[in-house]
Amino acid sequence: MGFWKSLFSSADAPTASRTMSIAGDAAQASGERGSEIFFSTDRDIDLYELEELCDAVGWSRRPLRKVRKAIQHSFLVVSMWEQKGTRRRLIGFSRATSDHAFNATIWDVVVHPDFQSQGLGKALMKHVIKKLRSEDISNITLFADPHVVDFYRRLGFMSDPEGIKGMFWYPD
């Protein structure tokens, strides 16, 4: 639980701005000289650029009209960008839905393969969680594919200690 404790005991308050630069090791390791990594909560994302990012990690394509709708109706949208001179590139993305009071679920966490294993996924998740906690959301959930469960465990997420509560209904 060290991750959670460090996340909420730090002196820095969550940023209210639409963008935030990543400081520290993650930004240093993230790219070549002259590049900066930053977060944005701006929802005006080029859906084709987001689709390219999702393609890069092997996700199935989804109809862009539905992706647009999902972004519009999300409680929080966070994108992560690499800025090199005047060139800006989408390298990470996540969003969360919420009841605006108690619960939020994180969806669509993705970091471009060129930027994985550099601490940027952790930085993205830390930013999302901080934003949710700043809105007094106390119960944060997510769904994880088996190959990323350990990543989320290292961030303090755990399987439901009372057993499986989640259930799903899919159309035939």
Side-chain angles (χ1 to χ4, degrees), residues 56-147:
V57 296
W59 287 7
S60 299
R61 289 205 169 179
R62 301 182 287 186
L64 293 182
R65 66 179 172 72
K66 286 186 146 191
V67 172
R68 179 183 299 110
K69 191 174 187 178
I71 290 170
Q72 289 170 345
H73 292 281
S74 291
F75 179 75
L76 174 67
V77 174
V78 177
S79 52
M80 186 168 53
W81 301 85
E82 177 192 41
Q83 180 87 38
K84 271 190 195 177
T86 59
R87 185 176 168 263
R88 192 175 90 155
R89 175 183 176 195
L90 180 65
I91 62 167
F93 178 84
S94 184
R95 64 185 186 89
T97 54
S98 177
D99 62 8
H100 296 249
F102 303 103
N103 304 293
T105 301
I106 299 172
W107 303 95
D108 301 333
V109 179
V110 60
V111 174
H112 193 282
D114 293 348
F115 293 85
Q116 292 178 6
S117 301
Q118 299 176 34
L120 293 173
K122 180 179 178 180
L124 176 62
M125 287 297 296
K126 185 175 180 178
H127 188 74
V128 168
I129 293 166
K130 244 184 182 177
K131 289 285 195 185
L132 292 171
R133 291 294 298 137
S134 75
E135 295 290 334
D136 204 25
I137 301 295
S138 57
N139 185 28
I140 301 171
T141 59
L142 57 79
F143 296 91
D145 289 330
H147 67 282

Side-chain angles (χ1 to χ4, degrees), residues 13-21 39-42 76-77 127 131:
T15 179
S17 67
R18 295 184 75 90
T19 62
M20 183 187 98
S21 292
F39 295 119
S40 175
T41 56
D42 185 352
L76 174 67
V77 174
H127 188 74
K131 289 285 195 185

